[in-house]
Amino acid sequence: MDLETAVTVAGGRITGPADLHDALPAPEIDLIGMWVRSMQRFIDAVCRGAQRGSGAPRGPLSVVLTRSPSLALRTRRLDDGSVVLLLPIGAIVRPRLLATLLLTFPPRDTTISFPASIRDDRPETDWELPNRLLPIFGEFVDDDEHWELLGNLAAGMTPSTDADLNLALRDVTWAAMCYAVMHEVAHVTRGHLDAERAFREKGPTPRPALSLRELRRGLEIDADANGSILFLVALMARLEEMEATQHFTSAFEWIGFAIPMFLGMYDTRRKALGLYAEGLYPHPVVRHELFLRVCANYLHAHKREWLDDWLHYEPDGWTSCIKALLRLDEDCVLGRFSDPPQEGWRCAPITAVNWHATDSPATFSSLEQESALHQDVVVLLSAWQGRA
């Protein structure tokens, strides 16, 4: 497969930050170009380190921006042995637009209560998206229509003159983008691109009962876990590059906001925990708990002086995100994003990140099940790489 074919299959076309003009302010476009270049340097360093192990790509790993409104990043190996990470512009624009909505709500509590639990197995057909939020949470057959609606949504948002708010938007956008990118980098450095072939070709494994579906799901969990570590290391590198390591506490708070927000953008019709028993990914709340566990363990082992601050400030960001999502739910119920008005009860909660304190036992039980599957897949990867 060559690069052109890889982009065509994934959707969109090769582009650059300048193609963001219809959905972002000009200063943000230049900034995103800087972020992509900085992440490429970080990825190059990660791959050089991985070459001393067994999970490195056979060739360079390059980030390629694509003109696609999709949220889905793709990693593909090309015929020359190199690997491309296709980063759709939609995965930058859409989280930023959602963050703009969430961060600009007036500071007040919601007047409507949403008692729904992630254990409520309401079917996907019970939910719908408010039509004005479809560009953020939905997918369209026609990319041009999607871009037009994203541009209209962006145009309807008054640019803020609040310097703190604009800095927060940048931090949240960067965190969401970096989390997504590092998940894909982990797929490469952990040897996932060859895992299915190895599963079929390398004969007996330490766990013969592992199905291909379990393998694929376990690889996504492994990418979440190792991508979370890469994310933290990339954060440290960014703070050092900006000579801003003293601001790590505020970075932790915005990470606490950004990651659940970003995870909640996927599969918005599947709210219930039980609806994620099949498929590639665990429930977004479970994925977030895995992120927290991995980050805390990494900081305990490698940056213990930051651990107490992580445990203090990250939950503040999570709380702010959940409160903002509740405000969004309230506006959806009241029809503020529907034209003409829709049945509001079908639109809330808007995302699957609908956490309630009584959900904790079910959430952690699911997390332990996913962690056990992850360990089985880690054993397989180690065995295959040992035979390579």
Side-chain angles (χ1 to χ4, degrees), residues 160-239:
S160 174
T161 57
D162 185 325
D164 289 339
L165 173 60
N166 288 326
L167 285 174
L169 281 172
R170 290 181 177 184
D171 287 342
V172 169
T173 305
W174 180 89
M177 172 182 166
C178 186
Y179 177 85
V181 168
M182 294 308 150
H183 174 98
E184 295 301 319
V185 173
H187 274 310
V188 178
T189 60
R190 294 284 294 163
H192 295 178
L193 300 190
D194 297 317
E196 285 192 31
R197 177 180 55 81
F199 183 85
R200 293 187 176 98
E201 296 178 359
K202 293 202 173 184
T205 68
R207 188 189 174 195
L210 195 68
S211 69
L212 184 58
R213 183 195 67 80
E214 290 174 312
L215 171 68
R216 289 170 173 167
R217 187 179 180 101
L219 292 177
E220 294 300 337
I221 299 169
D222 190 61
D224 272 355
N226 287 278
S228 297
I229 294 172
L230 291 174
F231 171 86
L232 270 185
V233 177
L235 169 68
M236 296 173 190
R238 181 178 185 236
L239 292 175

Coordinates of all heavy atoms in Angstrom, one line a residue, residues 160-239:
S160 N -13.6 34.5 22.1 CA -13.4 35.0 23.4 C -12.2 36.0 23.5 O -11.1 35.7 22.8 CB -13.2 33.9 24.4 OG -12.9 34.3 25.7
T161 N -12.3 37.0 24.3 CA -11.2 37.9 24.6 C -10.6 37.5 26.0 O -9.6 38.2 26.4 CB -11.6 39.3 24.6 OG1 -12.7 39.5 25.6 CG2 -12.1 39.7 23.2
D162 N -11.1 36.5 26.6 CA -10.6 36.0 27.9 C -9.3 35.2 27.7 O -9.3 34.1 27.2 CB -11.6 35.2 28.6 CG -11.3 34.8 30.0 OD1 -10.1 34.6 30.3 OD2 -12.2 34.7 30.9
A163 N -8.2 35.8 28.1 CA -6.9 35.1 27.9 C -6.8 33.7 28.6 O -6.3 32.8 28.0 CB -5.7 36.0 28.4
D164 N -7.4 33.7 29.8 CA -7.3 32.4 30.5 C -8.1 31.3 29.8 O -7.8 30.2 29.7 CB -7.8 32.6 31.9 CG -6.9 33.4 32.8 OD1 -5.7 33.4 32.5 OD2 -7.3 33.9 33.8
L165 N -9.3 31.7 29.3 CA -10.2 30.8 28.6 C -9.5 30.3 27.3 O -9.5 29.1 27.0 CB -11.5 31.4 28.2 CG -12.4 30.6 27.3 CD1 -12.8 29.3 28.0 CD2 -13.7 31.4 27.0
N166 N -8.8 31.2 26.6 CA -8.2 30.8 25.3 C -7.0 29.8 25.6 O -6.7 28.9 24.9 CB -7.7 32.0 24.6 CG -8.8 32.8 23.9 OD1 -9.8 32.2 23.5 ND2 -8.7 34.1 23.9
L167 N -6.3 30.1 26.7 CA -5.2 29.2 27.1 C -5.8 27.8 27.5 O -5.2 26.8 27.2 CB -4.4 29.8 28.3 CG -3.4 30.9 28.0 CD1 -2.8 31.5 29.2 CD2 -2.3 30.4 27.0
A168 N -6.9 27.8 28.2 CA -7.5 26.5 28.6 C -8.0 25.8 27.3 O -7.8 24.5 27.2 CB -8.8 26.8 29.5
L169 N -8.5 26.5 26.3 CA -8.9 25.8 25.1 C -7.7 25.2 24.4 O -7.8 24.0 23.9 CB -9.6 26.8 24.2 CG -11.1 27.2 24.5 CD1 -11.5 28.3 23.6 CD2 -12.0 25.9 24.3
R170 N -6.6 25.9 24.4 CA -5.4 25.3 23.8 C -5.0 24.1 24.5 O -4.6 23.0 23.9 CB -4.3 26.4 23.8 CG -4.6 27.5 22.8 CD -3.4 28.5 22.8 NE -3.7 29.6 21.9 CZ -2.8 30.5 21.6 NH1 -1.6 30.6 22.3 NH2 -3.0 31.5 20.7
D171 N -5.0 24.1 25.9 CA -4.5 23.0 26.7 C -5.4 21.8 26.5 O -4.9 20.6 26.3 CB -4.4 23.4 28.1 CG -3.3 24.3 28.5 OD1 -2.3 24.4 27.6 OD2 -3.3 25.0 29.5
V172 N -6.7 22.0 26.5 CA -7.6 20.9 26.3 C -7.5 20.3 24.9 O -7.5 19.1 24.7 CB -9.1 21.3 26.6 CG1 -10.1 20.3 26.2 CG2 -9.2 21.7 28.1
T173 N -7.4 21.1 23.9 CA -7.3 20.6 22.5 C -6.0 19.9 22.4 O -5.9 18.8 21.7 CB -7.3 21.8 21.5 OG1 -8.5 22.6 21.7 CG2 -7.3 21.3 20.1
W174 N -4.9 20.4 22.9 CA -3.6 19.7 22.8 C -3.7 18.3 23.5 O -3.2 17.3 23.0 CB -2.5 20.5 23.5 CG -1.1 19.8 23.4 CD1 -0.2 19.8 22.4 CD2 -0.6 18.9 24.4 NE1 0.8 19.0 22.7 CE2 0.6 18.4 23.9 CE3 -1.1 18.4 25.6 CZ2 1.4 17.5 24.6 CZ3 -0.3 17.5 26.3 CH2 1.0 17.0 25.8
A175 N -4.3 18.3 24.7 CA -4.3 17.0 25.4 C -5.2 16.0 24.7 O -4.8 14.8 24.6 CB -4.9 17.3 26.8
A176 N -6.3 16.4 24.1 CA -7.1 15.4 23.4 C -6.4 14.9 22.2 O -6.4 13.7 21.9 CB -8.4 16.1 23.0
M177 N -5.7 15.8 21.4 CA -5.0 15.4 20.2 C -3.8 14.5 20.6 O -3.6 13.5 19.9 CB -4.5 16.7 19.6 CG -3.5 16.5 18.4 SD -3.0 18.1 17.7 CE -1.6 17.7 16.7
C178 N -3.1 14.8 21.6 CA -1.9 14.1 22.0 C -2.3 12.7 22.5 O -1.7 11.7 22.2 CB -1.1 14.8 23.1 SG 0.4 14.0 23.6
Y179 N -3.4 12.6 23.3 CA -3.9 11.3 23.7 C -4.2 10.4 22.5 O -3.8 9.2 22.5 CB -5.1 11.5 24.6 CG -5.8 10.2 25.1 CD1 -5.3 9.5 26.2 CD2 -6.8 9.6 24.4 CE1 -5.9 8.4 26.7 CE2 -7.4 8.4 24.8 CZ -6.9 7.8 25.9 OH -7.5 6.6 26.4
A180 N -4.9 10.9 21.6 CA -5.3 10.1 20.4 C -4.1 9.7 19.6 O -4.0 8.5 19.1 CB -6.2 10.9 19.5
V181 N -3.1 10.6 19.4 CA -1.9 10.3 18.6 C -1.1 9.2 19.3 O -0.6 8.3 18.7 CB -1.1 11.6 18.4 CG1 0.3 11.2 17.9 CG2 -1.8 12.5 17.4
M182 N -0.9 9.4 20.7 CA -0.1 8.4 21.4 C -0.7 7.0 21.5 O 0.0 6.0 21.5 CB 0.3 8.9 22.8 CG 1.1 10.2 22.7 SD 2.6 10.0 21.7 CE 2.8 11.7 21.1
H183 N -2.0 6.9 21.4 CA -2.6 5.6 21.3 C -2.2 4.9 20.0 O -1.9 3.7 20.0 CB -4.2 5.8 21.3 CG -5.0 4.6 21.1 ND1 -5.5 3.8 22.1 CD2 -5.3 3.9 19.9 CE1 -6.1 2.8 21.6 NE2 -6.0 2.8 20.3
E184 N -2.2 5.7 18.9 CA -1.8 5.1 17.7 C -0.3 4.8 17.6 O 0.2 3.7 17.1 CB -2.1 6.0 16.5 CG -3.6 6.3 16.3 CD -4.3 5.0 16.0 OE1 -3.8 4.2 15.3 OE2 -5.5 4.8 16.6
V185 N 0.6 5.6 18.2 CA 2.0 5.4 18.3 C 2.2 4.1 19.1 O 3.1 3.3 18.7 CB 2.7 6.5 19.0 CG1 4.2 6.2 19.2 CG2 2.6 7.8 18.1
A186 N 1.5 3.9 20.2 CA 1.6 2.6 20.9 C 1.3 1.4 20.1 O 1.9 0.3 20.3 CB 0.7 2.7 22.2
H187 N 0.3 1.5 19.2 CA 0.0 0.4 18.3 C 1.3 0.0 17.5 O 1.5 -1.2 17.3 CB -1.1 0.7 17.3 CG -2.5 0.5 17.9 ND1 -2.9 -0.6 18.4 CD2 -3.6 1.4 17.9 CE1 -4.2 -0.5 18.8 NE2 -4.6 0.7 18.4
V188 N 2.0 0.9 17.1 CA 3.2 0.7 16.3 C 4.4 0.1 17.2 O 4.9 -0.9 16.9 CB 3.7 1.9 15.6 CG1 4.9 1.7 14.7 CG2 2.5 2.4 14.6
T189 N 4.7 0.9 18.3 CA 5.9 0.5 19.1 C 5.7 -0.8 19.8 O 6.6 -1.5 20.2 CB 6.2 1.6 20.0 OG1 5.1 1.8 20.9 CG2 6.6 2.9 19.3
R190 N 4.4 -1.2 20.0 CA 4.1 -2.5 20.7 C 4.0 -3.6 19.8 O 3.7 -4.7 20.2 CB 2.8 -2.3 21.5 CG 2.9 -1.3 22.7 CD 3.7 -1.9 23.8 NE 3.0 -3.0 24.5 CZ 3.5 -3.9 25.3 NH1 4.8 -3.8 25.5 NH2 2.8 -4.8 25.8
G191 N 4.2 -3.4 18.5 CA 4.1 -4.5 17.5 C 2.7 -5.0 17.2 O 2.6 -6.1 16.6
H192 N 1.7 -4.1 17.3 CA 0.4 -4.5 17.0 C 0.1 -4.7 15.6 O -0.8 -5.4 15.2 CB -0.6 -3.5 17.6 CG -0.6 -3.4 19.1 ND1 -1.4 -2.5 19.8 CD2 0.1 -4.1 20.0 CE1 -1.1 -2.6 21.1 NE2 -0.2 -3.6 21.3
L193 N 0.8 -4.0 14.7 CA 0.5 -4.1 13.3 C 0.7 -5.5 12.7 O 0.1 -5.8 11.7 CB 1.4 -3.1 12.5 CG 1.3 -1.6 12.9 CD1 2.0 -0.7 11.9 CD2 -0.2 -1.2 13.0
D194 N 1.6 -6.3 13.4 CA 1.8 -7.6 12.9 C 1.1 -8.7 13.8 O 1.3 -9.9 13.6 CB 3.3 -7.9 12.9 CG 4.1 -7.0 12.0 OD1 3.5 -6.8 10.8 OD2 5.1 -6.5 12.3
A195 N 0.3 -8.2 14.8 CA -0.2 -9.2 15.8 C -1.2 -10.2 15.2 O -1.1 -11.3 15.5 CB -0.8 -8.4 16.9
E196 N -2.1 -9.7 14.3 CA -3.1 -10.6 13.8 C -2.4 -11.7 12.9 O -2.8 -12.9 12.9 CB -4.1 -9.9 13.0 CG -5.1 -9.1 13.8 CD -6.3 -8.6 13.0 OE1 -6.7 -9.3 12.0 OE2 -6.9 -7.6 13.4
R197 N -1.4 -11.3 12.1 CA -0.7 -12.2 11.3 C 0.1 -13.3 12.2 O 0.0 -14.5 12.0 CB 0.4 -11.5 10.4 CG 1.2 -12.5 9.6 CD 2.2 -11.7 8.7 NE 3.0 -10.8 9.5 CZ 4.1 -11.2 10.2 NH1 4.5 -12.4 10.2 NH2 4.8 -10.3 10.8
A198 N 0.7 -12.7 13.3 CA 1.3 -13.6 14.2 C 0.4 -14.6 14.9 O 0.6 -15.8 15.1 CB 2.1 -12.8 15.3
F199 N -0.8 -14.1 15.2 CA -1.9 -14.9 15.8 C -2.2 -16.1 14.9 O -2.4 -17.2 15.4 CB -3.1 -14.1 16.1 CG -4.2 -14.8 16.8 CD1 -4.2 -14.9 18.2 CD2 -5.3 -15.4 16.1 CE1 -5.3 -15.5 18.8 CE2 -6.3 -16.0 16.7 CZ -6.3 -16.1 18.1
R200 N -2.2 -15.9 13.6 CA -2.6 -16.9 12.7 C -1.5 -17.9 12.3 O -1.7 -19.0 12.0 CB -3.2 -16.3 11.4 CG -4.5 -15.6 11.6 CD -5.1 -15.1 10.3 NE -6.4 -14.5 10.4 CZ -6.6 -13.2 10.4 NH1 -5.5 -12.4 10.3 NH2 -7.8 -12.7 10.5
E201 N -0.2 -17.3 12.3 CA 0.9 -18.0 11.7 C 1.8 -18.7 12.7 O 2.6 -19.6 12.4 CB 1.7 -17.1 10.8 CG 0.9 -16.6 9.6 CD 1.7 -15.6 8.8 OE1 2.9 -15.3 9.2 OE2 1.2 -15.1 7.8
K202 N 1.9 -18.2 13.9 CA 3.0 -18.6 14.8 C 2.7 -19.8 15.7 O 3.4 -20.1 16.7 CB 3.5 -17.4 15.6 CG 4.2 -16.3 14.8 CD 5.1 -15.5 15.5 CE 5.9 -14.5 14.6 NZ 6.9 -13.7 15.3
G203 N 1.5 -20.4 15.4 CA 1.3 -21.7 16.1 C 0.8 -21.5 17.5 O 0.2 -20.5 17.9
P204 N 1.1 -22.5 18.4 CA 0.6 -22.6 19.7 C 1.0 -21.3 20.5 O 2.1 -20.8 20.3 CB 1.2 -23.8 20.3 CG 1.5 -24.7 19.2 CD 1.8 -23.7 18.0
T205 N 0.1 -20.8 21.3 CA 0.3 -19.6 22.1 C 0.1 -19.9 23.6 O -0.4 -21.0 24.0 CB -0.7 -18.5 21.7 OG1 -2.0 -18.9 22.2 CG2 -0.7 -18.3 20.2
P206 N 0.6 -19.0 24.5 CA 0.4 -19.3 25.9 C -1.1 -19.4 26.3 O -1.4 -19.9 27.4 CB 1.1 -18.1 26.6 CG 2.1 -17.6 25.5 CD 1.4 -17.9 24.2
R207 N -1.9 -18.9 25.5 CA -3.4 -19.0 25.8 C -4.1 -19.3 24.5 O -4.7 -18.5 23.8 CB -3.9 -17.7 26.4 CG -5.4 -17.9 26.9 CD -6.0 -16.6 27.3 NE -7.4 -16.8 27.6 CZ -8.3 -15.8 27.7 NH1 -7.9 -14.6 27.5 NH2 -9.5 -16.1 28.0
P208 N -4.2 -20.6 24.2 CA -4.8 -21.0 22.9 C -6.3 -20.6 22.8 O -6.8 -20.5 21.7 CB -4.7 -22.6 22.9 CG -3.6 -22.8 23.8 CD -3.6 -21.8 24.9
A209 N -7.0 -20.4 24.0 CA -8.4 -20.1 23.9 C -8.7 -18.7 23.5 O -9.8 -18.3 23.4 CB -9.0 -20.4 25.3
L210 N -7.7 -17.9 23.4 CA -7.9 -16.4 23.1 C -8.4 -16.3 21.7 O -7.7 -16.8 20.7 CB -6.6 -15.7 23.2 CG -6.6 -14.1 23.3 CD1 -7.3 -13.7 24.5 CD2 -5.3 -13.5 23.1
S211 N -9.5 -15.7 21.5 CA -10.1 -15.6 20.1 C -9.5 -14.3 19.5 O -8.9 -13.5 20.1 CB -11.6 -15.4 20.2 OG -12.0 -14.2 20.8
L212 N -9.7 -14.3 18.1 CA -9.3 -13.1 17.4 C -10.0 -11.9 17.9 O -9.4 -10.8 18.0 CB -9.5 -13.3 15.9 CG -9.0 -12.2 15.0 CD1 -7.5 -12.0 15.1 CD2 -9.4 -12.5 13.5
R213 N -11.3 -12.0 18.2 CA -12.0 -10.8 18.7 C -11.4 -10.3 20.1 O -11.2 -9.1 20.3 CB -13.5 -11.1 19.0 CG -14.3 -10.0 19.4 CD -15.6 -10.4 20.0 NE -15.5 -11.1 21.2 CZ -15.3 -10.6 22.4 NH1 -15.2 -9.3 22.5 NH2 -15.2 -11.3 23.5
E214 N -11.0 -11.3 20.9 CA -10.4 -10.9 22.2 C -9.0 -10.3 22.0 O -8.6 -9.4 22.7 CB -10.3 -12.1 23.1 CG -11.6 -12.6 23.7 CD -11.5 -13.9 24.4 OE1 -10.8 -14.9 23.9 OE2 -12.0 -14.1 25.5
L215 N -8.3 -10.9 21.0 CA -7.0 -10.3 20.7 C -7.1 -8.8 20.3 O -6.4 -8.0 20.8 CB -6.3 -11.1 19.6 CG -5.0 -10.5 19.0 CD1 -3.9 -10.5 20.1 CD2 -4.6 -11.2 17.7
R216 N -8.1 -8.6 19.4 CA -8.2 -7.2 18.9 C -8.6 -6.2 20.0 O -8.1 -5.1 20.1 CB -9.3 -7.2 17.8 CG -8.8 -7.8 16.5 CD -9.9 -8.0 15.5 NE -9.5 -8.5 14.2 CZ -10.3 -8.9 13.2 NH1 -11.6 -9.0 13.4 NH2 -9.8 -9.3 12.1
R217 N -9.5 -6.7 20.8 CA -9.9 -5.8 22.0 C -8.7 -5.6 22.9 O -8.5 -4.5 23.4 CB -11.1 -6.4 22.7 CG -11.7 -5.6 23.8 CD -12.9 -6.3 24.4 NE -13.5 -5.5 25.5 CZ -14.7 -4.9 25.3 NH1 -15.3 -4.9 24.1 NH2 -15.2 -4.2 26.3
G218 N -8.0 -6.7 23.2 CA -6.8 -6.6 24.1 C -5.8 -5.7 23.5 O -5.1 -5.0 24.3
L219 N -5.6 -5.7 22.2 CA -4.6 -4.8 21.6 C -5.0 -3.3 21.8 O -4.2 -2.4 22.0 CB -4.5 -5.1 20.1 CG -3.8 -6.4 19.8 CD1 -3.8 -6.6 18.3 CD2 -2.4 -6.5 20.3
E220 N -6.3 -3.0 21.7 CA -6.8 -1.7 21.9 C -6.5 -1.2 23.4 O -6.2 -0.1 23.7 CB -8.3 -1.5 21.6 CG -8.6 -1.7 20.1 CD -7.8 -0.7 19.2 OE1 -7.5 0.4 19.7 OE2 -7.6 -1.0 18.0
I221 N -6.8 -2.2 24.3 CA -6.5 -1.9 25.7 C -5.0 -1.6 25.9 O -4.6 -0.7 26.7 CB -7.0 -3.0 26.6 CG1 -8.5 -3.2 26.4 CG2 -6.7 -2.7 28.1 CD1 -9.1 -4.4 27.1
D222 N -4.2 -2.5 25.3 CA -2.7 -2.3 25.4 C -2.3 -1.0 24.8 O -1.4 -0.3 25.4 CB -2.0 -3.4 24.6 CG -0.5 -3.5 24.9 OD1 -0.1 -3.7 26.1 OD2 0.2 -3.3 23.9
A223 N -2.9 -0.5 23.7 CA -2.6 0.8 23.1 C -3.1 1.9 24.1 O -2.4 2.9 24.2 CB -3.2 0.9 21.8
D224 N -4.2 1.7 24.7 CA -4.7 2.7 25.7 C -3.6 2.8 26.8 O -3.3 3.9 27.2 CB -6.0 2.3 26.3 CG -7.2 2.8 25.5 OD1 -7.0 3.6 24.5 OD2 -8.3 2.4 25.8
A225 N -3.2 1.7 27.4 CA -2.3 1.7 28.5 C -1.0 2.3 28.2 O -0.5 3.2 28.8 CB -2.1 0.3 29.1
N226 N -0.3 1.8 27.1 CA 1.0 2.3 26.7 C 0.9 3.7 26.1 O 1.9 4.5 26.3 CB 1.7 1.3 25.8 CG 2.1 0.0 26.5 OD1 3.1 0.0 27.2 ND2 1.3 -1.0 26.5
G227 N -0.2 4.0 25.4 CA -0.3 5.3 24.9 C -0.5 6.3 26.1 O 0.0 7.5 25.9
S228 N -1.1 5.9 27.2 CA -1.2 6.8 28.3 C 0.2 7.2 28.9 O 0.4 8.3 29.3 CB -2.1 6.2 29.4 OG -3.4 6.0 28.9
I229 N 1.1 6.2 28.9 CA 2.4 6.5 29.4 C 3.1 7.4 28.4 O 3.8 8.4 28.8 CB 3.2 5.1 29.5 CG1 2.6 4.3 30.6 CG2 4.7 5.4 29.8 CD1 3.2 2.9 30.7
L230 N 3.0 7.1 27.1 CA 3.6 8.0 26.1 C 3.0 9.4 26.3 O 3.7 10.4 26.1 CB 3.4 7.5 24.7 CG 4.2 6.2 24.4 CD1 3.7 5.7 23.0 CD2 5.7 6.5 24.4
F231 N 1.7 9.5 26.5 CA 1.1 10.8 26.7 C 1.7 11.6 27.9 O 2.0 12.8 27.7 CB -0.4 10.6 27.0 CG -1.2 11.8 27.4 CD1 -1.7 12.7 26.4 CD2 -1.4 12.1 28.7 CE1 -2.4 13.8 26.8 CE2 -2.1 13.3 29.1 CZ -2.6 14.1 28.1
L232 N 1.9 10.9 29.0 CA 2.6 11.6 30.1 C 4.0 12.1 29.8 O 4.4 13.2 30.2 CB 2.6 10.7 31.3 CG 1.4 10.7 32.3 CD1 1.7 9.8 33.5 CD2 1.1 12.1 32.8
V233 N 4.7 11.2 29.1 CA 6.1 11.6 28.8 C 6.1 12.7 27.8 O 6.9 13.7 27.9 CB 6.8 10.4 28.2 CG1 8.2 10.7 27.7 CG2 6.9 9.2 29.2
A234 N 5.2 12.7 26.9 CA 5.0 13.8 25.9 C 4.7 15.1 26.6 O 5.1 16.2 26.3 CB 4.0 13.5 24.8
L235 N 3.8 15.0 27.7 CA 3.5 16.2 28.4 C 4.7 16.8 29.1 O 4.9 18.0 29.1 CB 2.4 15.8 29.5 CG 2.1 16.9 30.6 CD1 1.5 18.1 30.0 CD2 1.3 16.3 31.7
M236 N 5.5 15.9 29.7 CA 6.7 16.4 30.4 C 7.6 17.1 29.4 O 8.2 18.1 29.7 CB 7.4 15.2 31.1 CG 6.6 14.6 32.2 SD 7.5 13.1 32.8 CE 6.2 12.4 33.9
A237 N 7.8 16.5 28.2 CA 8.6 17.0 27.2 C 8.1 18.4 26.7 O 8.9 19.3 26.5 CB 8.7 16.1 26.0
R238 N 6.8 18.5 26.6 CA 6.2 19.8 26.2 C 6.4 20.9 27.2 O 6.8 22.0 26.9 CB 4.7 19.6 25.9 CG 4.0 20.9 25.5 CD 2.5 20.7 25.2 NE 1.9 21.9 24.7 CZ 0.8 22.5 25.2 NH1 0.3 22.0 26.3 NH2 0.4 23.6 24.6
L239 N 6.2 20.5 28.5 CA 6.4 21.5 29.5 C 7.9 22.0 29.6 O 8.2 23.1 29.8 CB 6.0 20.9 30.9 CG 4.5 20.7 31.1 CD1 4.3 20.0 32.4 CD2 3.7 22.0 31.0

